[in-house]
Amino acid sequence: MSAADPGLADAEALDLSDIVDTERYPLHRPDDPRLLETIELARSHLDHEGCAVLRGFLREDRLERLRQESARMAETSFYNTREVNAYFTADDPALPEDDPRRLFMTRTSGFVTRDMITADTLMQRLYVSSAMKSLVQRCLGESRIYEYADPYAGLVLNVLPDGTQQPWHYDTNEFIVTMMTQQPEDGGIFEYCPNIRNPRDENYDDVGAVIRGEETERVQRLDLRPGDLQLFKGRFSLHRVTRVAGNTPRLTAIFAYSQAPDVVGRLERTRQLYGRVSEQHMLAEERREERADGLID
């Protein structure tokens, strides 16, 4: 297959050698010692730090195509600016003023949703492929993972132009997989606090201290580059992307997988992030049950 014709997204694809640096990451040979070593190291980092980065995952000669594809899609991005807390919940005046649920931050970012990402793009090909799912599943130690059933949020391009940021927050999903496709001129640094909460304890005191800037020692910073694959347990680790500066937007592909089939995002959060909802979201909200871990979403 030529570089000019990368093909279409194929859920059965096992050989991604025209996209991925399979010399370093031989996805098509599941028992290759190099791949096994990568998986073991990623598992260790995820267990201890909640994050693992596979450097140079994408082939170098594909980086410019990925950048061009994402830059073109970014022109159709939906932007939304609103004041949010780390939990995407409404203000509760009954709580103390310094409680993290009352600490609101400005969130401005753009998104291109899955229904607008065509099947010939590199990110769509990566997302649906069996090889990619197998790698993510094995790194996370899951028995099986599924594509996010959400018609918008399964595969998303996040767009952060000059002056925008993602303030401190948690992810709805237990884990997320991302790849920066274009680096900004300045800012746009990924910062996170590994496992600052758990299913039994929201740890409001420490979370509030981080958000207020009083606690910096537990904040880790990642120097992500285009083509790096990041696996992150964002449901338990508070995280943000610092303010972007310059004429070049920060562009990131977000690959959303879940531990169970048929997972669809919450109605109100979907409306906040993407500016619209589908019938699938409305039906899912009617059937939704409380999450087993009891954490604020």
Side-chain angles (χ1 to χ4, degrees):
M1 187 176 294
S2 69
D5 180 18
L8 300 177
D10 179 5
E12 303 301 319
L14 293 173
D15 187 355
L16 296 173
S17 57
D18 66 316
I19 305 176
V20 175
D21 183 351
T22 49
E23 289 297 313
R24 297 177 66 182
Y25 306 105
L27 306 185
H28 54 300
R29 295 195 295 271
D31 297 321
D32 189 294
R34 289 169 297 177
L35 187 62
L36 295 177
E37 182 179 359
T38 294
I39 292 168
E40 183 179 357
L41 188 60
R43 280 191 183 183
S44 176
H45 286 169
L46 285 163
D47 288 342
H48 293 95
E49 303 164 24
C51 184
V53 179
L54 277 56
R55 299 289 186 186
F57 185 74
L58 207 76
R59 282 175 43 162
E60 281 196 28
D61 60 356
R62 284 300 194 184
L63 290 176
E64 179 57 22
R65 183 184 182 97
L66 182 69
R67 189 200 66 76
Q68 290 179 4
E69 286 180 349
S70 58
R72 184 172 63 250
M73 286 186 287
E75 296 176 359
T76 67
S77 177
F78 169 79
Y79 290 95
N80 192 12
T81 299
R82 60 189 304 124
E83 297 297 310
V84 297
N85 62 20
Y87 311 94
F88 286 83
T89 57
D91 188 25
D92 184 354
L95 297 172
E97 288 187 4
D98 62 350
D99 187 288
R101 289 165 288 184
R102 300 205 67 194
L103 300 177
F104 283 77
M105 303 156 280
T106 302
R107 179 187 177 108
T108 302
S109 61
F111 290 99
V112 180
T113 51
R114 184 179 184 180
D115 58 323
M116 300 176 69
I117 301 175
T118 57
D120 61 338
T121 57
L122 298 184
M123 65 179 69
Q124 187 77 262
R125 291 187 61 204
L126 280 173
Y127 177 60
V128 306
S129 70
S130 296
M132 183 76 156
K133 292 172 192 166
S134 175
L135 173 68
V136 173
Q137 169 195 327
R138 295 172 75 186
C139 287
L140 290 163
E142 298 286 341
S143 58
R144 185 173 179 182
I145 63 168
Y146 302 83
E147 291 179 30
Y148 215 41
D150 192 295
Y152 300 161
L155 175 65
V156 171
L157 179 69
N158 179 230
V159 184
L160 291 176
D162 179 49
T164 62
Q165 62 183 331
Q166 287 187 353
W168 293 111
H169 67 284
Y170 296 102
D171 292 336
T172 300
N173 208 17
E174 280 74 12
F175 56 85
I176 202 77
V177 182
T178 64
M179 178 184 291
M180 183 185 291
T181 65
Q182 180 172 273
Q183 196 165 22
E185 295 163 23
D186 194 19
I189 304 299
F190 183 82
E191 298 185 339
Y192 71 109
C193 300
N195 301 311
I196 196 170
R197 73 173 181 176
N198 62 63
R200 295 165 300 282
D201 184 9
E202 289 279 4
N203 192 14
Y204 290 127
D205 288 345
D206 287 349
V207 170
V210 169
I211 294 174
R212 291 190 299 270
E214 300 165 359
E215 168 61 66
T216 58
E217 289 188 5
R218 70 186 305 160
V219 178
Q220 298 193 24
R221 295 165 61 91
L222 268 182
D223 177 25
L224 296 171
R225 297 183 294 271
D228 294 344
L229 189 72
Q230 179 190 19
L231 295 90
F232 180 60
K233 292 185 176 179
R235 183 147 174 80
F236 308 110
S237 297
L238 190 71
H239 56 287
R240 71 174 178 178
V241 176
T242 63
R243 189 178 300 275
V244 170
N247 295 324
T248 304
R250 183 186 194 269
L251 304 179
T252 305
I254 302 175
F255 309 94
Y257 301 102
S258 58
Q259 296 164 310
D262 304 321
V263 174
V264 176
R266 287 190 176 276
L267 187 70
E268 182 55 31
R269 183 162 177 154
T270 299
R271 183 179 286 112
Q272 288 181 19
L273 292 177
Y274 310 128
R276 57 197 170 109
V277 296
S278 68
E279 182 179 3
Q280 191 172 344
H281 291 102
M282 291 185 281
L283 292 173
E285 198 69 18
E286 293 175 0
R287 301 190 301 264
R288 193 176 305 279
E289 299 176 357
E290 291 299 319
R291 295 186 66 141
D293 61 24
L295 293 173
I296 299 177
D297 210 37

mmCIF file of all heavy atoms in Angstrom, residues 153-171:
data_model
loop_
_atom_site.group_PDB
_atom_site.id
_atom_site.type_symbol
_atom_site.label_atom_id
_atom_site.label_comp_id
_atom_site.label_asym_id
_atom_site.label_seq_id
_atom_site.Cartn_x
_atom_site.Cartn_y
_atom_site.Cartn_z
ATOM 1 N N ALA A 153 -18.129 10.727 20.921
ATOM 2 C CA ALA A 153 -16.935 10.732 21.776
ATOM 3 C C ALA A 153 -16.021 9.532 21.606
ATOM 4 O O ALA A 153 -14.980 9.468 22.263
ATOM 5 C CB ALA A 153 -17.354 10.847 23.242
ATOM 6 N N GLY A 154 -16.365 8.581 20.746
ATOM 7 C CA GLY A 154 -15.494 7.421 20.582
ATOM 8 C C GLY A 154 -14.110 7.811 20.094
ATOM 9 O O GLY A 154 -13.086 7.403 20.637
ATOM 10 N N LEU A 155 -14.081 8.617 19.065
ATOM 11 C CA LEU A 155 -12.838 9.150 18.506
ATOM 12 C C LEU A 155 -13.033 10.648 18.334
ATOM 13 O O LEU A 155 -13.970 11.089 17.666
ATOM 14 C CB LEU A 155 -12.536 8.500 17.155
ATOM 15 C CG LEU A 155 -11.330 9.048 16.391
ATOM 16 C CD1 LEU A 155 -10.036 8.780 17.151
ATOM 17 C CD2 LEU A 155 -11.260 8.422 14.998
ATOM 18 N N VAL A 156 -12.138 11.428 18.947
ATOM 19 C CA VAL A 156 -12.310 12.889 18.963
ATOM 20 C C VAL A 156 -10.977 13.559 18.694
ATOM 21 O O VAL A 156 -9.928 13.075 19.133
ATOM 22 C CB VAL A 156 -12.853 13.352 20.336
ATOM 23 C CG1 VAL A 156 -12.832 14.857 20.450
ATOM 24 C CG2 VAL A 156 -14.262 12.838 20.555
ATOM 25 N N LEU A 157 -11.024 14.665 17.965
ATOM 26 C CA LEU A 157 -9.853 15.530 17.840
ATOM 27 C C LEU A 157 -10.073 16.719 18.759
ATOM 28 O O LEU A 157 -11.043 17.462 18.617
ATOM 29 C CB LEU A 157 -9.682 16.005 16.395
ATOM 30 C CG LEU A 157 -8.490 16.950 16.171
ATOM 31 C CD1 LEU A 157 -7.172 16.200 16.328
ATOM 32 C CD2 LEU A 157 -8.572 17.614 14.799
ATOM 33 N N ASN A 158 -9.172 16.896 19.721
ATOM 34 C CA ASN A 158 -9.239 18.032 20.633
ATOM 35 C C ASN A 158 -8.393 19.168 20.073
ATOM 36 O O ASN A 158 -7.250 18.959 19.671
ATOM 37 C CB ASN A 158 -8.741 17.622 22.014
ATOM 38 C CG ASN A 158 -8.752 18.765 23.011
ATOM 39 O OD1 ASN A 158 -7.773 19.023 23.679
ATOM 40 N ND2 ASN A 158 -9.874 19.463 23.106
ATOM 41 N N VAL A 159 -8.961 20.369 20.050
ATOM 42 C CA VAL A 159 -8.315 21.537 19.452
ATOM 43 C C VAL A 159 -8.167 22.622 20.513
ATOM 44 O O VAL A 159 -9.159 23.094 21.076
ATOM 45 C CB VAL A 159 -9.140 22.078 18.264
ATOM 46 C CG1 VAL A 159 -8.417 23.236 17.593
ATOM 47 C CG2 VAL A 159 -9.432 20.966 17.261
ATOM 48 N N LEU A 160 -6.919 23.027 20.781
ATOM 49 C CA LEU A 160 -6.646 24.095 21.743
ATOM 50 C C LEU A 160 -5.834 25.191 21.058
ATOM 51 O O LEU A 160 -4.616 25.101 20.955
ATOM 52 C CB LEU A 160 -5.871 23.554 22.944
ATOM 53 C CG LEU A 160 -6.617 22.602 23.894
ATOM 54 C CD1 LEU A 160 -5.668 22.080 24.961
ATOM 55 C CD2 LEU A 160 -7.801 23.299 24.530
ATOM 56 N N PRO A 161 -6.496 26.246 20.598
ATOM 57 C CA PRO A 161 -5.778 27.367 19.987
ATOM 58 C C PRO A 161 -5.212 28.318 21.043
ATOM 59 O O PRO A 161 -5.358 28.092 22.250
ATOM 60 C CB PRO A 161 -6.849 28.043 19.138
ATOM 61 C CG PRO A 161 -8.122 27.732 19.837
ATOM 62 C CD PRO A 161 -7.943 26.387 20.491
ATOM 63 N N ASP A 162 -4.581 29.357 20.580
ATOM 64 C CA ASP A 162 -3.954 30.356 21.444
ATOM 65 C C ASP A 162 -4.910 30.852 22.532
ATOM 66 O O ASP A 162 -6.056 31.203 22.256
ATOM 67 C CB ASP A 162 -3.505 31.550 20.578
ATOM 68 C CG ASP A 162 -2.869 32.661 21.402
ATOM 69 O OD1 ASP A 162 -1.980 32.360 22.212
ATOM 70 O OD2 ASP A 162 -3.280 33.823 21.216
ATOM 71 N N GLY A 163 -4.430 30.840 23.784
ATOM 72 C CA GLY A 163 -5.209 31.358 24.891
ATOM 73 C C GLY A 163 -6.171 30.387 25.539
ATOM 74 O O GLY A 163 -6.842 30.740 26.513
ATOM 75 N N THR A 164 -6.264 29.150 25.030
ATOM 76 C CA THR A 164 -7.196 28.180 25.598
ATOM 77 C C THR A 164 -6.459 27.153 26.443
ATOM 78 O O THR A 164 -5.245 26.989 26.346
ATOM 79 C CB THR A 164 -7.986 27.454 24.499
ATOM 80 O OG1 THR A 164 -7.076 26.715 23.662
ATOM 81 C CG2 THR A 164 -8.761 28.438 23.644
ATOM 82 N N GLN A 165 -7.221 26.441 27.247
ATOM 83 C CA GLN A 165 -6.647 25.441 28.140
ATOM 84 C C GLN A 165 -7.715 24.434 28.533
ATOM 85 O O GLN A 165 -8.912 24.676 28.344
ATOM 86 C CB GLN A 165 -6.114 26.110 29.406
ATOM 87 C CG GLN A 165 -7.203 26.799 30.210
ATOM 88 C CD GLN A 165 -6.676 27.530 31.419
ATOM 89 O OE1 GLN A 165 -5.653 27.138 31.988
ATOM 90 N NE2 GLN A 165 -7.350 28.594 31.827
ATOM 91 N N GLN A 166 -7.287 23.324 29.098
ATOM 92 C CA GLN A 166 -8.188 22.399 29.767
ATOM 93 C C GLN A 166 -7.853 22.453 31.248
ATOM 94 O O GLN A 166 -6.782 21.987 31.646
ATOM 95 C CB GLN A 166 -8.017 20.973 29.226
ATOM 96 C CG GLN A 166 -8.573 20.763 27.851
ATOM 97 C CD GLN A 166 -8.538 19.301 27.440
ATOM 98 O OE1 GLN A 166 -7.987 18.453 28.134
ATOM 99 N NE2 GLN A 166 -9.109 19.005 26.295
ATOM 100 N N PRO A 167 -8.701 23.035 32.075
ATOM 101 C CA PRO A 167 -8.398 23.143 33.498
ATOM 102 C C PRO A 167 -8.488 21.779 34.190
ATOM 103 O O PRO A 167 -8.871 20.781 33.587
ATOM 104 C CB PRO A 167 -9.469 24.110 34.006
ATOM 105 C CG PRO A 167 -10.606 23.929 33.075
ATOM 106 C CD PRO A 167 -10.002 23.640 31.733
ATOM 107 N N TRP A 168 -8.160 21.752 35.456
ATOM 108 C CA TRP A 168 -8.144 20.504 36.222
ATOM 109 C C TRP A 168 -9.483 19.767 36.123
ATOM 110 O O TRP A 168 -10.541 20.374 36.302
ATOM 111 C CB TRP A 168 -7.842 20.781 37.689
ATOM 112 C CG TRP A 168 -6.458 21.279 37.958
ATOM 113 C CD1 TRP A 168 -6.089 22.531 38.367
ATOM 114 C CD2 TRP A 168 -5.233 20.526 37.845
ATOM 115 N NE1 TRP A 168 -4.719 22.606 38.507
ATOM 116 C CE2 TRP A 168 -4.168 21.397 38.198
ATOM 117 C CE3 TRP A 168 -4.929 19.214 37.483
ATOM 118 C CZ2 TRP A 168 -2.833 20.987 38.205
ATOM 119 C CZ3 TRP A 168 -3.599 18.807 37.481
ATOM 120 C CH2 TRP A 168 -2.572 19.679 37.841
ATOM 121 N N HIS A 169 -9.423 18.468 35.835
ATOM 122 C CA HIS A 169 -10.637 17.670 35.720
ATOM 123 C C HIS A 169 -10.297 16.183 35.797
ATOM 124 O O HIS A 169 -9.124 15.794 35.807
ATOM 125 C CB HIS A 169 -11.363 17.962 34.402
ATOM 126 C CG HIS A 169 -10.603 17.519 33.175
ATOM 127 N ND1 HIS A 169 -9.520 18.207 32.690
ATOM 128 C CD2 HIS A 169 -10.764 16.453 32.352
ATOM 129 C CE1 HIS A 169 -9.051 17.600 31.606
ATOM 130 N NE2 HIS A 169 -9.789 16.526 31.390
ATOM 131 N N TYR A 170 -11.336 15.368 35.830
ATOM 132 C CA TYR A 170 -11.218 13.910 35.732
ATOM 133 C C TYR A 170 -11.909 13.460 34.446
ATOM 134 O O TYR A 170 -12.755 14.169 33.891
ATOM 135 C CB TYR A 170 -11.906 13.217 36.903
ATOM 136 C CG TYR A 170 -11.305 13.497 38.259
ATOM 137 C CD1 TYR A 170 -11.916 14.403 39.122
ATOM 138 C CD2 TYR A 170 -10.159 12.849 38.685
ATOM 139 C CE1 TYR A 170 -11.385 14.670 40.375
ATOM 140 C CE2 TYR A 170 -9.621 13.100 39.943
ATOM 141 C CZ TYR A 170 -10.231 14.011 40.782
ATOM 142 O OH TYR A 170 -9.694 14.267 42.016
ATOM 143 N N ASP A 171 -11.585 12.264 33.994
ATOM 144 C CA ASP A 171 -12.276 11.677 32.850
ATOM 145 C C ASP A 171 -13.429 10.810 33.323
ATOM 146 O O ASP A 171 -13.370 10.203 34.399
ATOM 147 C CB ASP A 171 -11.313 10.815 32.023
ATOM 148 C CG ASP A 171 -10.251 11.650 31.319
ATOM 149 O OD1 ASP A 171 -10.498 12.850 31.075
ATOM 150 O OD2 ASP A 171 -9.173 11.105 31.025
#
